[in-house]
Amino acid sequence: VESSLKNSVGLSSPASAYVMLMRLLLASSALPSLLALREVVTHAEEDCEKVSVDGYRQNCGRKCAGRSLSKRLQGSWAEKAELCAGACSANENCNCFTLSPEGDCRFGLTDGKGLRKEPGSTAYVRDNSADASKPSDACDRGQVAAVEGSCRSYRHCVASAWTQTECPLGMSFFAKRKACAWSGAVEGCEELARNDDVRNVGCGSKKRTFILARGQAVQGWLRHEVLNWQLEATRRADVRTRSEGLAATNILRTVAIEMGSIESGPQRWGIFSHAEDGGLDLQAVALVNQLNNTLDIMAIVNRRTLLKDEIAIGGAGRALLGGILETVQSEAPDMPLIVQGTPGDDVVEEMYRKHGMQEVGRSKETGKPLLEMKLDPQCVGFFKKSLCGELNLREKSAVAWRLLPHSEKLWNTCAHMMPADVYWDTLQKR
């Protein structure tokens, strides 16, 4: 009662609380009012967004008592709850996970279901008595299976019972990976894929072919892949011990922001490689805001820098940037292309400046420089080829001419839009 009065009425000391209590009890209607006050405070502490997670029981105003790992997630409460549940389910000793108001996911590392009071947080405890979904046969933790006759639906095992869920729009269950994937890469489900915003792009002297995805139809797919990257980075301690991995993790938070369905705002662009199992592996992703012929590249992350795993491919970031420039230029072939970017760290800033981007202002949000480069229509193709190392003999001759001091005064070529140091560094590496 004392705590309720102090928190609700703002009393400054226990003595003040007792004085107020005695005065209330002397009034004939004081006791019912006091009980009502306590009930309101209690409900306020335990109130939270009601989001159910298959196989878990929600506990508002509580946190898991066991030792845990913590990771900040992006997205709606339901998406964060699903991701955190996946991390918990992947650990055989985890029986509880907590979501904080700030979006932190804390999943247990010890086998226990103890709870502690923590207003604002929500704990989810495994419910081993949950009813099994169709079919009702028993299963082992971690098992995943397709649903016969359905592309989007699949089953996964929670608390020794099957539960059924669906892949996001545009995606289907890929049995070979036991995960959701783009429907165009899943045999028998290709008709569910919207191919208008997916096309092949080449980059590199080896003519490696990537899949470029952009547009409103693929935003759910790209967000799903980005959240998987975040979860993988959380599980692996080596990502945070590498300086470039830590920087990429921070930039990935920008790419993972929830944007809704507004078509005119920032959108994700992604580059995928073909995998041996017939699926697609995300290699690089960017958050881009396009306004006519102006591109604001808000963030870009590649798999090799972030995860550095066995399926990471070099050059994916260059392929993504080249594909973005090519695509936008094809929509307005006679207009110059203005590329802007606010680097997330000093390393990215140095790279931008090195490739000819110049400071035109400062970001009000971060204080970082706003860098810009203007590409003439006839030079966009040259810039993309230069990024990917695909210059032909004539274009290489233009580079050689660029390296001559003051050559731009006699003949200014597309090679002159980038500093000479870029070409010298490339020659030294070879």
Side-chain angles (χ1 to χ4, degrees):
V1 170
E2 172 192 336
S3 174
S4 301
L5 287 170
K6 287 179 66 179
N7 292 336
S8 305
V9 198
L11 299 177
S12 59
S13 67
S16 301
Y18 284 124
V19 170
M20 177 62 73
L21 175 62
M22 293 302 298
R23 290 176 178 175
L24 288 171
L25 290 176
L26 289 174
S28 59
S29 60
L31 188 56
S33 300
L34 193 59
L35 293 175
L37 173 63
R38 177 59 180 170
E39 185 176 357
V40 169
V41 173
T42 302
H43 282 281
E45 290 178 349
E46 297 185 353
D47 188 31
C48 66
E49 185 174 354
K50 304 300 181 182
V51 175
S52 61
V53 177
D54 291 334
Y56 290 85
R57 187 175 65 256
Q58 186 177 17
N59 298 268
C60 295
R62 299 292 185 269
K63 69 174 183 179
C64 306
R67 184 169 60 90
S68 63
L69 284 175
S70 180
K71 173 64 179 176
R72 180 152 297 183
L73 300 175
Q74 302 290 333
S76 65
W77 188 273
E79 289 172 325
K80 288 184 283 191
E82 190 67 29
L83 276 174
C84 209
C88 182
S89 298
N91 190 317
E92 61 181 8
N93 292 321
C94 177
N95 275 306
C96 179
F97 70 88
T98 305
L99 285 179
S100 72
E102 295 79 19
D104 289 333
C105 160
R106 300 194 294 271
F107 53 93
L109 296 176
T110 55
D111 190 4
K113 299 183 180 180
L115 296 177
R116 293 178 182 173
K117 187 175 180 180
E118 186 173 89
S121 293
T122 302
Y124 288 85
V125 180
R126 285 190 185 275
D127 187 3
N128 293 324
S129 63
D131 293 333
S133 302
K134 297 180 181 180
S136 58
D137 51 308
C139 58
D140 296 325
R141 180 186 294 182
Q143 276 189 293
V144 183
V147 173
E148 187 176 354
S150 174
C151 283
R152 290 183 59 196
S153 298
Y154 66 96
R155 299 177 294 153
H156 60 102
C157 188
V158 177
S160 301
W162 288 111
T163 184
Q164 186 168 311
T165 189
E166 283 190 340
C167 294
L169 287 174
M171 304 185 71
S172 298
F173 183 74
F174 190 25
K176 292 181 180 179
R177 296 190 178 186
K178 297 183 178 181
C180 295
W182 179 54
S183 296
V186 180
E187 186 177 357
C189 300
E190 296 89 348
E191 62 181 17
L192 298 180
R194 297 177 62 176
N195 297 308
D196 295 344
D197 296 327
V198 179
R199 68 181 184 88
N200 292 331
V201 295
C203 187
S205 56
K206 296 181 180 179
K207 298 297 180 183
R208 185 186 299 276
T209 300
F210 293 94
I211 299 291
L212 176 68
R214 55 80 64 120
Q216 191 64 32
V218 300
Q219 292 305 301
W221 170 30
L222 291 175
R223 177 169 171 76
H224 179 82
E225 296 286 346
V226 168
L227 292 178
N228 283 341
W229 270 15
Q230 282 190 314
L231 188 58
E232 181 67 17
T234 301
R235 291 172 175 169
R236 290 176 43 189
D238 64 292
V239 173
R240 298 185 296 276
T241 58
R242 293 183 291 109
S243 58
E244 66 273 20
L246 184 59
T249 301
N250 294 332
I251 297 173
L252 191 63
R253 292 182 186 144
T254 301
V255 182
I257 62 174
E258 190 172 9
M259 298 172 293
S261 58
I262 302 177
E263 297 187 9
S264 59
Q267 290 190 348
R268 300 178 191 88
W269 295 58
I271 275 285
F272 293 80
S273 62
H274 294 276
E276 293 182 359
D277 61 5
L280 298 174
D281 296 321
L282 181 63
Q283 294 294 338
V285 63
L287 185 65
V288 180
N289 191 21
Q290 179 186 349
L291 181 61
N292 298 324
N293 63 324
T294 299
L295 282 175
D296 182 5
I297 302 177
M298 304 169 66
I300 185 167
V301 183
N302 67 70
R303 187 184 201 107
R304 196 173 189 179
T305 301
L306 177 67
L307 301 177
K308 205 175 182 179
D309 54 14
E310 64 277 1
I311 62 176
I313 296 175
R318 294 192 296 272
L320 176 56
L321 182 56
I324 293 173
L325 297 178
E326 248 185 358
T327 302
V328 176
Q329 198 267 340
S330 67
E331 296 170 353
D334 298 326
M335 297 181 65
L337 191 59
I338 299 174
V339 182
Q340 296 178 340
T342 302
D345 54 44
D346 295 338
V347 176
V348 177
E349 180 181 345
E350 181 182 358
M351 182 189 70
Y352 280 3
R353 292 183 183 274
K354 184 177 179 180
H355 282 78
M357 299 186 73
Q358 299 181 356
E359 185 173 335
V360 294
R362 289 272 169 175
S363 169
K364 295 180 180 179
E365 291 79 13
T366 65
K368 290 287 186 180
L370 175 61
L371 305 178
E372 183 177 287
M373 172 186 280
K374 183 178 180 181
L375 299 175
D376 292 331
Q378 68 274 15
C379 292
V380 174
F382 177 91
F383 188 79
K384 188 261 182 182
K385 287 183 177 181
S386 180
L387 281 174
C388 294
E390 300 173 345
L391 297 178
N392 57 35
L393 182 59
R394 182 177 180 179
E395 291 161 339
K396 289 178 181 178
S397 299
V399 172
W401 174 255
R402 166 68 181 90
L403 296 178
L404 295 176
H406 310 297
S407 57
E408 71 279 2
K409 296 180 180 180
L410 295 175
W411 180 34
N412 194 18
T413 69
C414 290
H416 285 85
M417 65 184 175
M418 287 192 293
D421 290 343
V422 174
Y423 302 114
W424 284 121
D425 289 347
T426 302
L427 290 173
Q428 289 174 358
K429 290 178 182 179
R430 292 179 180 177

